[in-house]
mmCIF file of all heavy atoms in Angstrom:
data_model
loop_
_atom_site.group_PDB
_atom_site.id
_atom_site.type_symbol
_atom_site.label_atom_id
_atom_site.label_comp_id
_atom_site.label_asym_id
_atom_site.label_seq_id
_atom_site.Cartn_x
_atom_site.Cartn_y
_atom_site.Cartn_z
ATOM 1 N N LYS B 1 29.120 -81.658 -120.986
ATOM 2 C CA LYS B 1 30.387 -82.330 -120.657
ATOM 3 C C LYS B 1 30.162 -83.410 -119.608
ATOM 4 O O LYS B 1 30.667 -84.526 -119.722
ATOM 5 C CB LYS B 1 31.431 -81.334 -120.171
ATOM 6 C CG LYS B 1 32.027 -80.494 -121.257
ATOM 7 C CD LYS B 1 33.144 -79.637 -120.703
ATOM 8 C CE LYS B 1 33.767 -78.795 -121.803
ATOM 9 N NZ LYS B 1 34.864 -77.974 -121.284
ATOM 10 N N PHE B 2 29.385 -83.063 -118.568
ATOM 11 C CA PHE B 2 29.149 -84.039 -117.518
ATOM 12 C C PHE B 2 28.338 -85.223 -118.027
ATOM 13 O O PHE B 2 28.664 -86.371 -117.731
ATOM 14 C CB PHE B 2 28.448 -83.410 -116.308
ATOM 15 C CG PHE B 2 28.123 -84.435 -115.262
ATOM 16 C CD1 PHE B 2 29.115 -84.911 -114.421
ATOM 17 C CD2 PHE B 2 26.851 -84.962 -115.152
ATOM 18 C CE1 PHE B 2 28.840 -85.876 -113.477
ATOM 19 C CE2 PHE B 2 26.559 -85.932 -114.208
ATOM 20 C CZ PHE B 2 27.554 -86.386 -113.366
ATOM 21 N N THR B 3 27.272 -84.966 -118.764
ATOM 22 C CA THR B 3 26.433 -86.078 -119.233
ATOM 23 C C THR B 3 27.201 -86.976 -120.194
ATOM 24 O O THR B 3 27.020 -88.193 -120.167
ATOM 25 C CB THR B 3 25.123 -85.583 -119.876
ATOM 26 O OG1 THR B 3 25.422 -84.645 -120.895
ATOM 27 C CG2 THR B 3 24.207 -84.971 -118.845
ATOM 28 N N ALA B 4 28.070 -86.396 -121.017
ATOM 29 C CA ALA B 4 28.890 -87.225 -121.909
ATOM 30 C C ALA B 4 29.826 -88.105 -121.087
ATOM 31 O O ALA B 4 29.965 -89.307 -121.346
ATOM 32 C CB ALA B 4 29.680 -86.348 -122.868
ATOM 33 N N TYR B 5 30.464 -87.512 -120.062
ATOM 34 C CA TYR B 5 31.340 -88.271 -119.170
ATOM 35 C C TYR B 5 30.552 -89.354 -118.434
ATOM 36 O O TYR B 5 30.975 -90.505 -118.365
ATOM 37 C CB TYR B 5 32.004 -87.324 -118.163
ATOM 38 C CG TYR B 5 32.538 -88.014 -116.940
ATOM 39 C CD1 TYR B 5 33.744 -88.708 -116.980
ATOM 40 C CD2 TYR B 5 31.814 -88.003 -115.748
ATOM 41 C CE1 TYR B 5 34.223 -89.364 -115.853
ATOM 42 C CE2 TYR B 5 32.289 -88.656 -114.626
ATOM 43 C CZ TYR B 5 33.493 -89.328 -114.684
ATOM 44 O OH TYR B 5 33.952 -89.977 -113.583
ATOM 45 N N PHE B 6 29.405 -88.987 -117.894
ATOM 46 C CA PHE B 6 28.598 -89.928 -117.118
ATOM 47 C C PHE B 6 28.157 -91.108 -117.981
ATOM 48 O O PHE B 6 28.243 -92.266 -117.563
ATOM 49 C CB PHE B 6 27.382 -89.198 -116.527
ATOM 50 C CG PHE B 6 26.612 -90.031 -115.548
ATOM 51 C CD1 PHE B 6 27.051 -90.183 -114.249
ATOM 52 C CD2 PHE B 6 25.445 -90.666 -115.930
ATOM 53 C CE1 PHE B 6 26.348 -90.952 -113.334
ATOM 54 C CE2 PHE B 6 24.726 -91.436 -115.024
ATOM 55 C CZ PHE B 6 25.185 -91.576 -113.731
ATOM 56 N N LYS B 7 27.690 -90.829 -119.185
ATOM 57 C CA LYS B 7 27.257 -91.916 -120.075
ATOM 58 C C LYS B 7 28.417 -92.840 -120.423
ATOM 59 O O LYS B 7 28.260 -94.058 -120.407
ATOM 60 C CB LYS B 7 26.643 -91.343 -121.359
ATOM 61 C CG LYS B 7 25.244 -90.819 -121.170
ATOM 62 C CD LYS B 7 24.541 -90.589 -122.492
ATOM 63 C CE LYS B 7 24.902 -89.276 -123.087
ATOM 64 N NZ LYS B 7 24.100 -88.919 -124.269
ATOM 65 N N GLU B 8 29.570 -92.254 -120.719
ATOM 66 C CA GLU B 8 30.722 -93.061 -121.122
ATOM 67 C C GLU B 8 31.273 -93.877 -119.950
ATOM 68 O O GLU B 8 31.474 -95.085 -120.056
ATOM 69 C CB GLU B 8 31.818 -92.166 -121.698
ATOM 70 C CG GLU B 8 33.091 -92.899 -122.058
ATOM 71 C CD GLU B 8 32.921 -93.912 -123.173
ATOM 72 O OE1 GLU B 8 32.013 -93.754 -124.010
ATOM 73 O OE2 GLU B 8 33.700 -94.888 -123.205
ATOM 74 N N GLN B 9 31.525 -93.223 -118.826
ATOM 75 C CA GLN B 9 32.181 -93.883 -117.703
ATOM 76 C C GLN B 9 31.245 -94.759 -116.873
ATOM 77 O O GLN B 9 31.624 -95.854 -116.473
ATOM 78 C CB GLN B 9 32.817 -92.839 -116.781
ATOM 79 C CG GLN B 9 34.013 -92.159 -117.382
ATOM 80 C CD GLN B 9 35.148 -93.118 -117.625
ATOM 81 O OE1 GLN B 9 35.491 -93.929 -116.778
ATOM 82 N NE2 GLN B 9 35.739 -93.040 -118.803
ATOM 83 N N TRP B 10 30.033 -94.271 -116.574
ATOM 84 C CA TRP B 10 29.183 -94.931 -115.591
ATOM 85 C C TRP B 10 28.009 -95.694 -116.176
ATOM 86 O O TRP B 10 27.412 -96.514 -115.490
ATOM 87 C CB TRP B 10 28.705 -93.922 -114.553
ATOM 88 C CG TRP B 10 29.877 -93.358 -113.839
ATOM 89 C CD1 TRP B 10 30.427 -92.129 -114.000
ATOM 90 C CD2 TRP B 10 30.700 -94.041 -112.900
ATOM 91 N NE1 TRP B 10 31.536 -91.985 -113.215
ATOM 92 C CE2 TRP B 10 31.723 -93.159 -112.513
ATOM 93 C CE3 TRP B 10 30.671 -95.309 -112.330
ATOM 94 C CZ2 TRP B 10 32.706 -93.496 -111.600
ATOM 95 C CZ3 TRP B 10 31.658 -95.638 -111.416
ATOM 96 C CH2 TRP B 10 32.652 -94.748 -111.070
ATOM 97 N N LEU B 11 27.687 -95.443 -117.421
ATOM 98 C CA LEU B 11 26.606 -96.208 -118.039
ATOM 99 C C LEU B 11 27.117 -97.167 -119.102
ATOM 100 O O LEU B 11 26.446 -98.149 -119.408
ATOM 101 C CB LEU B 11 25.548 -95.259 -118.632
ATOM 102 C CG LEU B 11 24.869 -94.325 -117.625
ATOM 103 C CD1 LEU B 11 23.873 -93.423 -118.334
ATOM 104 C CD2 LEU B 11 24.215 -95.090 -116.501
ATOM 105 N N ALA B 12 28.298 -96.921 -119.645
ATOM 106 C CA ALA B 12 28.849 -97.812 -120.666
ATOM 107 C C ALA B 12 29.986 -98.677 -120.118
ATOM 108 O O ALA B 12 29.914 -99.901 -120.158
ATOM 109 C CB ALA B 12 29.335 -96.992 -121.867
ATOM 110 N N GLN B 13 31.020 -98.061 -119.560
ATOM 111 C CA GLN B 13 32.200 -98.823 -119.134
ATOM 112 C C GLN B 13 32.053 -99.472 -117.765
ATOM 113 O O GLN B 13 32.464 -100.615 -117.574
ATOM 114 C CB GLN B 13 33.438 -97.913 -119.126
ATOM 115 C CG GLN B 13 33.903 -97.534 -120.508
ATOM 116 C CD GLN B 13 35.175 -96.699 -120.460
ATOM 117 O OE1 GLN B 13 35.750 -96.469 -119.396
ATOM 118 N NE2 GLN B 13 35.618 -96.232 -121.612
ATOM 119 N N ASN B 14 31.522 -98.763 -116.797
ATOM 120 C CA ASN B 14 31.425 -99.258 -115.418
ATOM 121 C C ASN B 14 29.953 -99.419 -115.033
ATOM 122 O O ASN B 14 29.445 -98.701 -114.191
ATOM 123 C CB ASN B 14 32.110 -98.287 -114.452
ATOM 124 C CG ASN B 14 33.552 -98.072 -114.796
ATOM 125 O OD1 ASN B 14 34.306 -99.025 -114.906
ATOM 126 N ND2 ASN B 14 33.944 -96.836 -114.983
ATOM 127 N N GLN B 15 29.305 -100.371 -115.608
ATOM 128 C CA GLN B 15 27.863 -100.515 -115.450
ATOM 129 C C GLN B 15 27.436 -101.090 -114.101
ATOM 130 O O GLN B 15 26.278 -100.973 -113.730
ATOM 131 C CB GLN B 15 27.307 -101.406 -116.552
ATOM 132 C CG GLN B 15 27.555 -100.874 -117.933
ATOM 133 C CD GLN B 15 27.177 -101.882 -119.001
ATOM 134 O OE1 GLN B 15 26.606 -102.922 -118.701
ATOM 135 N NE2 GLN B 15 27.504 -101.583 -120.236
ATOM 136 N N ASN B 16 28.307 -101.707 -113.376
ATOM 137 C CA ASN B 16 27.929 -102.437 -112.156
ATOM 138 C C ASN B 16 28.175 -101.652 -110.879
ATOM 139 O O ASN B 16 28.666 -102.181 -109.891
ATOM 140 C CB ASN B 16 28.690 -103.766 -112.106
ATOM 141 C CG ASN B 16 28.334 -104.643 -113.269
ATOM 142 O OD1 ASN B 16 27.223 -104.599 -113.779
ATOM 143 N ND2 ASN B 16 29.283 -105.443 -113.714
ATOM 144 N N TRP B 17 27.798 -100.407 -110.855
ATOM 145 C CA TRP B 17 28.055 -99.563 -109.695
ATOM 146 C C TRP B 17 26.822 -99.299 -108.840
ATOM 147 O O TRP B 17 26.924 -98.705 -107.778
ATOM 148 C CB TRP B 17 28.667 -98.230 -110.128
ATOM 149 C CG TRP B 17 27.786 -97.423 -111.023
ATOM 150 C CD1 TRP B 17 27.673 -97.553 -112.370
ATOM 151 C CD2 TRP B 17 26.909 -96.369 -110.652
ATOM 152 N NE1 TRP B 17 26.771 -96.643 -112.853
ATOM 153 C CE2 TRP B 17 26.283 -95.896 -111.818
ATOM 154 C CE3 TRP B 17 26.581 -95.770 -109.444
ATOM 155 C CZ2 TRP B 17 25.363 -94.868 -111.817
ATOM 156 C CZ3 TRP B 17 25.652 -94.731 -109.446
ATOM 157 C CH2 TRP B 17 25.068 -94.290 -110.618
ATOM 158 N N TYR B 18 25.680 -99.738 -109.258
ATOM 159 C CA TYR B 18 24.472 -99.484 -108.474
ATOM 160 C C TYR B 18 24.069 -100.750 -107.722
ATOM 161 O O TYR B 18 24.514 -101.845 -108.021
ATOM 162 C CB TYR B 18 23.342 -98.958 -109.361
ATOM 163 C CG TYR B 18 22.792 -99.956 -110.345
ATOM 164 C CD1 TYR B 18 21.615 -100.626 -110.085
ATOM 165 C CD2 TYR B 18 23.451 -100.230 -111.536
ATOM 166 C CE1 TYR B 18 21.105 -101.553 -110.980
ATOM 167 C CE2 TYR B 18 22.946 -101.145 -112.434
ATOM 168 C CZ TYR B 18 21.774 -101.795 -112.154
ATOM 169 O OH TYR B 18 21.281 -102.718 -113.039
ATOM 170 N N LEU B 19 23.230 -100.588 -106.715
ATOM 171 C CA LEU B 19 22.924 -101.679 -105.799
ATOM 172 C C LEU B 19 22.148 -102.820 -106.432
ATOM 173 O O LEU B 19 22.205 -103.940 -105.952
ATOM 174 C CB LEU B 19 22.155 -101.148 -104.585
ATOM 175 C CG LEU B 19 22.925 -100.166 -103.715
ATOM 176 C CD1 LEU B 19 22.058 -99.681 -102.574
ATOM 177 C CD2 LEU B 19 24.194 -100.792 -103.192
ATOM 178 N N GLY B 20 21.439 -102.578 -107.514
ATOM 179 C CA GLY B 20 20.652 -103.622 -108.160
ATOM 180 C C GLY B 20 21.488 -104.688 -108.837
ATOM 181 O O GLY B 20 20.979 -105.752 -109.185
ATOM 182 N N VAL B 21 22.765 -104.443 -109.023
ATOM 183 C CA VAL B 21 23.638 -105.428 -109.665
ATOM 184 C C VAL B 21 23.810 -106.658 -108.777
ATOM 185 O O VAL B 21 23.825 -107.781 -109.247
ATOM 186 C CB VAL B 21 25.009 -104.801 -109.998
ATOM 187 C CG1 VAL B 21 25.965 -105.834 -110.531
ATOM 188 C CG2 VAL B 21 24.840 -103.677 -110.997
ATOM 189 N N ALA B 22 23.902 -106.455 -107.483
ATOM 190 C CA ALA B 22 24.058 -107.547 -106.518
ATOM 191 C C ALA B 22 23.028 -107.355 -105.410
ATOM 192 O O ALA B 22 23.354 -106.877 -104.329
ATOM 193 C CB ALA B 22 25.469 -107.575 -105.962
ATOM 194 N N PRO B 23 21.781 -107.718 -105.658
ATOM 195 C CA PRO B 23 20.714 -107.393 -104.710
ATOM 196 C C PRO B 23 20.841 -108.040 -103.335
ATOM 197 O O PRO B 23 20.336 -107.505 -102.364
ATOM 198 C CB PRO B 23 19.451 -107.875 -105.417
ATOM 199 C CG PRO B 23 19.906 -108.831 -106.451
ATOM 200 C CD PRO B 23 21.298 -108.447 -106.814
ATOM 201 N N THR B 24 21.520 -109.171 -103.224
ATOM 202 C CA THR B 24 21.635 -109.805 -101.909
ATOM 203 C C THR B 24 22.838 -109.313 -101.117
ATOM 204 O O THR B 24 22.987 -109.651 -99.960
ATOM 205 C CB THR B 24 21.732 -111.334 -102.054
ATOM 206 O OG1 THR B 24 22.877 -111.647 -102.864
ATOM 207 C CG2 THR B 24 20.477 -111.896 -102.694
ATOM 208 N N SER B 25 23.679 -108.520 -101.744
ATOM 209 C CA SER B 25 24.865 -108.001 -101.060
ATOM 210 C C SER B 25 24.554 -106.666 -100.404
ATOM 211 O O SER B 25 23.844 -105.847 -100.971
ATOM 212 C CB SER B 25 26.007 -107.794 -102.058
ATOM 213 O OG SER B 25 26.364 -109.014 -102.632
ATOM 214 N N PRO B 26 25.100 -106.437 -99.224
ATOM 215 C CA PRO B 26 24.878 -105.140 -98.595
ATOM 216 C C PRO B 26 25.708 -104.069 -99.280
ATOM 217 O O PRO B 26 26.697 -104.363 -99.947
ATOM 218 C CB PRO B 26 25.361 -105.360 -97.163
ATOM 219 C CG PRO B 26 26.345 -106.458 -97.279
ATOM 220 C CD PRO B 26 25.876 -107.339 -98.411
ATOM 221 N N SER B 27 25.310 -102.846 -99.103
ATOM 222 C CA SER B 27 26.111 -101.731 -99.588
ATOM 223 C C SER B 27 27.423 -101.750 -98.820
ATOM 224 O O SER B 27 27.427 -101.809 -97.598
ATOM 225 C CB SER B 27 25.372 -100.428 -99.352
ATOM 226 O OG SER B 27 26.162 -99.350 -99.748
ATOM 227 N N PRO B 28 28.573 -101.712 -99.493
ATOM 228 C CA PRO B 28 29.850 -101.919 -98.822
ATOM 229 C C PRO B 28 30.100 -101.044 -97.609
ATOM 230 O O PRO B 28 30.457 -101.541 -96.562
ATOM 231 C CB PRO B 28 30.872 -101.626 -99.914
ATOM 232 C CG PRO B 28 30.165 -101.908 -101.166
ATOM 233 C CD PRO B 28 28.725 -101.555 -100.921
ATOM 234 N N ASN B 29 29.901 -99.771 -97.723
ATOM 235 C CA ASN B 29 30.174 -98.910 -96.588
ATOM 236 C C ASN B 29 29.273 -99.219 -95.412
ATOM 237 O O ASN B 29 29.730 -99.303 -94.288
ATOM 238 C CB ASN B 29 29.989 -97.447 -96.981
ATOM 239 C CG ASN B 29 31.288 -96.804 -97.343
ATOM 240 O OD1 ASN B 29 32.337 -97.387 -97.189
ATOM 241 N ND2 ASN B 29 31.203 -95.595 -97.833
ATOM 242 N N ASN B 30 27.993 -99.363 -95.661
ATOM 243 C CA ASN B 30 27.059 -99.563 -94.564
ATOM 244 C C ASN B 30 27.348 -100.857 -93.811
ATOM 245 O O ASN B 30 27.348 -100.868 -92.584
ATOM 246 C CB ASN B 30 25.621 -99.564 -95.073
ATOM 247 C CG ASN B 30 25.207 -98.208 -95.582
ATOM 248 O OD1 ASN B 30 25.817 -97.203 -95.261
ATOM 249 N ND2 ASN B 30 24.173 -98.179 -96.387
ATOM 250 N N ALA B 31 27.565 -101.937 -94.504
ATOM 251 C CA ALA B 31 27.825 -103.210 -93.847
ATOM 252 C C ALA B 31 29.145 -103.175 -93.087
ATOM 253 O O ALA B 31 29.229 -103.657 -91.951
ATOM 254 C CB ALA B 31 27.833 -104.341 -94.863
ATOM 255 N N LEU B 32 30.150 -102.608 -93.699
ATOM 256 C CA LEU B 32 31.456 -102.536 -93.053
ATOM 257 C C LEU B 32 31.398 -101.661 -91.807
ATOM 258 O O LEU B 32 31.930 -102.027 -90.753
ATOM 259 C CB LEU B 32 32.503 -101.992 -94.025
ATOM 260 C CG LEU B 32 33.924 -101.912 -93.514
ATOM 261 C CD1 LEU B 32 34.424 -103.290 -93.123
ATOM 262 C CD2 LEU B 32 34.816 -101.290 -94.559
ATOM 263 N N GLU B 33 30.734 -100.522 -91.907
ATOM 264 C CA GLU B 33 30.625 -99.637 -90.753
ATOM 265 C C GLU B 33 29.807 -100.274 -89.639
ATOM 266 O O GLU B 33 30.124 -100.133 -88.462
ATOM 267 C CB GLU B 33 30.030 -98.293 -91.169
ATOM 268 C CG GLU B 33 30.942 -97.472 -92.056
ATOM 269 C CD GLU B 33 32.292 -97.168 -91.428
ATOM 270 O OE1 GLU B 33 32.357 -96.939 -90.202
ATOM 271 O OE2 GLU B 33 33.286 -97.181 -92.165
ATOM 272 N N ALA B 34 28.749 -100.982 -89.996
ATOM 273 C CA ALA B 34 27.924 -101.650 -88.984
ATOM 274 C C ALA B 34 28.733 -102.735 -88.280
ATOM 275 O O ALA B 34 28.675 -102.881 -87.054
ATOM 276 C CB ALA B 34 26.680 -102.240 -89.623
#
C-alpha cells in the first residue's frame, strides 16, 4: 500500500520534492531557520 502510494504521489505526480531539482537553492527550512 505504501509503495503504491509513494510511486503514485511522490514519483509520478509530485516529482520535484528532492533537493536535486533545484541544486542552487537552499533547503527551505534550513535557510529560513538560519
Side-chain angles (χ1 to χ4, degrees):
K1 285 186 179 181
F2 176 77
T3 54
Y5 160 78
F6 189 79
K7 283 194 277 188
E8 176 64 26
Q9 290 296 314
W10 298 105
L11 300 179
Q13 289 183 4
N14 302 306
Q15 300 171 7
N16 298 329
W17 61 276
Y18 68 100
L19 296 178
V21 174
T24 59
S25 298
S27 177
N29 263 353
N30 293 341
L32 182 60
E33 292 302 323

